[in-house]
Amino acid sequence: ILFDICGIMLYNVNEQRSSLRTREVDSFLFCNILKDKEGYRPMDEIDLKLLRLLQKNSRTPIKTLAGEVRLSSPGYGEITYEDAERLEKQGVIRAYTLDLDPLQLGHHILAYVHLDMQPAQKAEFYPFIAAIPNVLECNCVTGNYSMLIKVSFPSTQDLDGFIGKLQQFGKTETQIVFSSPVPPRAIVI
Protein backbone atom coordinates (compact mmCIF):
# COMPACT_ATOMS: atom_id res chain seq x y z
CA ILE A 1 0.00 0.00 0.00
CA LEU A 2 1.46 3.33 -0.99
CA PHE A 3 -1.01 5.64 0.77
CA ASP A 4 -4.02 5.30 3.02
CA ILE A 5 -5.72 8.69 2.86
CA CYS A 6 -9.13 9.03 4.53
CA GLY A 7 -9.65 5.30 4.23
CA ILE A 8 -8.94 5.22 0.47
CA MET A 9 -5.98 3.02 -0.24
CA LEU A 10 -3.64 3.47 -3.19
CA TYR A 11 -1.81 0.35 -4.22
CA ASN A 12 1.29 0.02 -6.33
CA VAL A 13 -0.18 -2.51 -8.70
CA ASN A 14 2.98 -3.09 -10.70
CA GLU A 15 3.63 -5.69 -8.03
CA GLN A 16 2.29 -9.08 -8.91
CA ARG A 17 -0.59 -10.50 -6.89
CA SER A 18 -1.15 -14.11 -5.98
CA SER A 19 -4.87 -14.60 -6.27
CA LEU A 20 -6.65 -16.54 -9.01
CA ARG A 21 -4.09 -15.39 -11.59
CA THR A 22 -0.85 -13.49 -11.40
CA ARG A 23 -0.24 -10.78 -13.94
CA GLU A 24 1.21 -7.29 -14.20
CA VAL A 25 -1.23 -4.37 -14.40
CA ASP A 26 -1.19 -0.61 -14.98
CA SER A 27 0.74 1.66 -12.62
CA PHE A 28 -2.09 2.85 -10.40
CA LEU A 29 -5.78 2.06 -10.15
CA PHE A 30 -7.61 4.53 -7.94
CA CYS A 31 -10.67 3.44 -5.95
CA ASN A 32 -10.86 0.11 -7.80
CA ILE A 33 -10.29 -2.18 -4.86
CA LEU A 34 -11.80 -5.68 -4.61
CA LYS A 35 -12.05 -7.98 -1.64
CA ASP A 36 -11.38 -11.66 -2.32
CA LYS A 37 -10.60 -14.65 -0.11
CA GLU A 38 -7.05 -13.39 0.40
CA GLY A 39 -8.07 -9.86 1.44
CA TYR A 40 -8.19 -6.59 -0.48
CA ARG A 41 -6.53 -6.30 -3.85
CA PRO A 42 -6.63 -3.82 -6.73
CA MET A 43 -8.71 -4.61 -9.80
CA ASP A 44 -6.47 -5.74 -12.61
CA GLU A 45 -6.80 -5.05 -16.32
CA ILE A 46 -8.85 -8.21 -16.94
CA ASP A 47 -11.35 -7.21 -14.22
CA LEU A 48 -11.69 -3.72 -15.70
CA LYS A 49 -11.92 -4.93 -19.29
CA LEU A 50 -14.57 -7.49 -18.34
CA LEU A 51 -16.64 -4.84 -16.55
CA ARG A 52 -16.36 -2.39 -19.47
CA LEU A 53 -17.52 -5.03 -21.95
CA LEU A 54 -20.41 -6.15 -19.74
CA GLN A 55 -21.48 -2.52 -19.30
CA LYS A 56 -21.84 -2.23 -23.06
CA ASN A 57 -23.81 -5.47 -23.36
CA SER A 58 -24.53 -7.61 -20.31
CA ARG A 59 -25.61 -10.50 -22.55
CA THR A 60 -22.20 -10.90 -24.18
CA PRO A 61 -21.23 -14.60 -24.13
CA ILE A 62 -18.15 -15.59 -22.12
CA LYS A 63 -16.39 -16.83 -25.28
CA THR A 64 -16.82 -13.41 -26.89
CA LEU A 65 -15.61 -11.68 -23.73
CA ALA A 66 -12.58 -13.96 -23.64
CA GLY A 67 -11.79 -13.14 -27.27
CA GLU A 68 -12.09 -9.40 -26.67
CA VAL A 69 -9.87 -9.45 -23.62
CA ARG A 70 -7.28 -11.67 -25.30
CA LEU A 71 -7.14 -9.45 -28.40
CA SER A 72 -6.54 -6.29 -26.42
CA SER A 73 -4.44 -7.78 -23.61
CA PRO A 74 -1.94 -10.24 -25.05
CA GLY A 75 -0.29 -12.48 -22.48
CA TYR A 76 -2.93 -11.88 -19.84
CA GLY A 77 -4.46 -15.34 -20.09
CA GLU A 78 -8.05 -16.25 -20.70
CA ILE A 79 -11.15 -14.83 -19.15
CA THR A 80 -13.47 -17.48 -17.80
CA TYR A 81 -16.94 -17.82 -16.40
CA GLU A 82 -15.27 -17.88 -12.98
CA ASP A 83 -13.97 -14.32 -13.56
CA ALA A 84 -17.50 -12.97 -13.97
CA GLU A 85 -18.78 -15.15 -11.14
CA ARG A 86 -16.00 -13.87 -8.84
CA LEU A 87 -16.95 -10.25 -9.60
CA GLU A 88 -20.59 -11.13 -8.82
CA LYS A 89 -19.68 -12.75 -5.48
CA GLN A 90 -17.54 -9.75 -4.56
CA GLY A 91 -20.53 -7.49 -5.17
CA VAL A 92 -18.93 -5.54 -8.05
CA ILE A 93 -21.51 -6.89 -10.51
CA ARG A 94 -24.84 -6.49 -8.72
CA ALA A 95 -27.21 -7.40 -11.56
CA TYR A 96 -27.61 -7.93 -15.27
CA THR A 97 -30.44 -5.64 -16.34
CA LEU A 98 -32.41 -4.28 -19.24
CA ASP A 99 -32.61 -0.58 -20.04
CA LEU A 100 -36.34 -0.14 -20.71
CA ASP A 101 -37.88 3.01 -22.16
CA PRO A 102 -40.54 4.16 -19.65
CA LEU A 103 -42.40 6.13 -22.35
CA GLN A 104 -42.82 2.99 -24.45
CA LEU A 105 -44.31 1.31 -21.37
CA GLY A 106 -46.81 4.12 -20.78
CA HIS A 107 -44.95 5.85 -17.95
CA HIS A 108 -45.00 9.48 -19.05
CA ILE A 109 -44.24 11.05 -15.66
CA LEU A 110 -40.78 10.93 -14.11
CA ALA A 111 -40.48 12.80 -10.82
CA TYR A 112 -38.30 13.34 -7.80
CA VAL A 113 -40.06 13.55 -4.46
CA HIS A 114 -38.36 14.98 -1.39
CA LEU A 115 -39.69 13.69 1.92
CA ASP A 116 -39.03 15.18 5.34
CA MET A 117 -39.53 12.46 7.91
CA GLN A 118 -38.33 11.62 11.40
CA PRO A 119 -35.56 9.02 11.83
CA ALA A 120 -37.85 6.99 14.10
CA GLN A 121 -40.14 6.37 11.09
CA LYS A 122 -37.49 4.55 9.04
CA ALA A 123 -38.45 1.09 10.31
CA GLU A 124 -42.01 1.60 9.00
CA PHE A 125 -41.06 3.66 5.93
CA TYR A 126 -38.43 1.37 4.38
CA PRO A 127 -40.75 -1.62 3.81
CA PHE A 128 -43.51 0.73 2.63
CA ILE A 129 -41.36 2.41 -0.03
CA ALA A 130 -39.69 -0.86 -1.13
CA ALA A 131 -43.11 -2.39 -1.88
CA ILE A 132 -44.09 0.30 -4.41
CA PRO A 133 -42.98 -0.77 -7.91
CA ASN A 134 -43.15 2.79 -9.28
CA VAL A 135 -40.30 3.80 -6.96
CA LEU A 136 -37.13 3.60 -9.05
CA GLU A 137 -34.81 4.81 -6.30
CA CYS A 138 -35.00 5.96 -2.72
CA ASN A 139 -32.04 7.63 -1.06
CA CYS A 140 -31.49 8.90 2.47
CA VAL A 141 -29.94 12.35 1.93
CA THR A 142 -28.61 15.41 3.72
CA GLY A 143 -30.24 18.83 3.58
CA ASN A 144 -33.75 20.09 4.25
CA TYR A 145 -35.33 16.73 3.42
CA SER A 146 -34.32 13.28 4.61
CA MET A 147 -35.37 11.19 1.59
CA LEU A 148 -35.05 11.69 -2.16
CA ILE A 149 -37.34 9.38 -4.11
CA LYS A 150 -37.26 8.88 -7.90
CA VAL A 151 -40.58 7.65 -9.28
CA SER A 152 -42.20 6.86 -12.62
CA PHE A 153 -45.98 6.94 -13.22
CA PRO A 154 -48.35 6.82 -16.20
CA SER A 155 -50.09 10.07 -15.17
CA THR A 156 -50.00 12.99 -12.76
CA GLN A 157 -53.13 11.56 -11.14
CA ASP A 158 -51.20 8.38 -10.29
CA LEU A 159 -48.31 10.46 -8.97
CA ASP A 160 -50.73 12.50 -6.86
CA GLY A 161 -52.19 9.32 -5.34
CA PHE A 162 -48.70 8.12 -4.43
CA ILE A 163 -47.80 11.47 -2.83
CA GLY A 164 -51.02 11.36 -0.81
CA LYS A 165 -49.95 8.00 0.67
CA LEU A 166 -46.38 9.21 1.16
CA GLN A 167 -47.47 12.24 3.19
CA GLN A 168 -48.37 10.00 6.12
CA PHE A 169 -44.62 10.01 6.78
CA GLY A 170 -44.08 13.76 6.51
CA LYS A 171 -43.90 16.85 4.33
CA THR A 172 -43.14 16.36 0.61
CA GLU A 173 -41.90 18.48 -2.27
CA THR A 174 -42.08 17.20 -5.84
CA GLN A 175 -40.24 18.05 -9.05
CA ILE A 176 -41.56 16.63 -12.32
CA VAL A 177 -38.87 16.02 -14.96
CA PHE A 178 -39.40 17.82 -18.31
CA SER A 179 -36.36 16.32 -20.03
CA SER A 180 -33.15 14.45 -19.24
CA PRO A 181 -30.13 15.86 -21.09
CA VAL A 182 -28.02 13.21 -19.33
CA PRO A 183 -30.05 10.02 -18.89
CA PRO A 184 -29.11 7.46 -16.21
CA ARG A 185 -25.78 5.89 -16.97
CA ALA A 186 -23.27 3.55 -15.46
CA ILE A 187 -20.09 4.55 -13.69
CA VAL A 188 -17.26 4.94 -16.17
CA ILE A 189 -14.45 2.51 -15.37
Side-chain angles (χ1 to χ4, degrees), residues 3 138 177:
F3 304 100
C138 179
V177 175

Side-chain angles (χ1 to χ4, degrees), residues 89-143:
K89 286 180 181 174
Q90 292 169 337
V92 177
I93 298 174
R94 295 187 302 192
Y96 296 91
T97 63
L98 294 173
D99 184 11
L100 302 173
D101 184 349
L103 293 174
Q104 297 293 325
L105 298 172
H107 283 240
H108 301 282
I109 305 298
L110 180 64
Y112 289 89
V113 181
H114 298 271
L115 172 66
D116 184 18
M117 60 177 263
Q118 297 302 312
Q121 295 175 292
K122 288 181 180 181
E124 181 185 357
F125 174 74
Y126 286 174
F128 165 83
I129 203 71
I132 300 171
N134 298 78
V135 173
L136 305 177
E137 246 182 88
C138 179
N139 300 285
C140 187
V141 296
T142 61

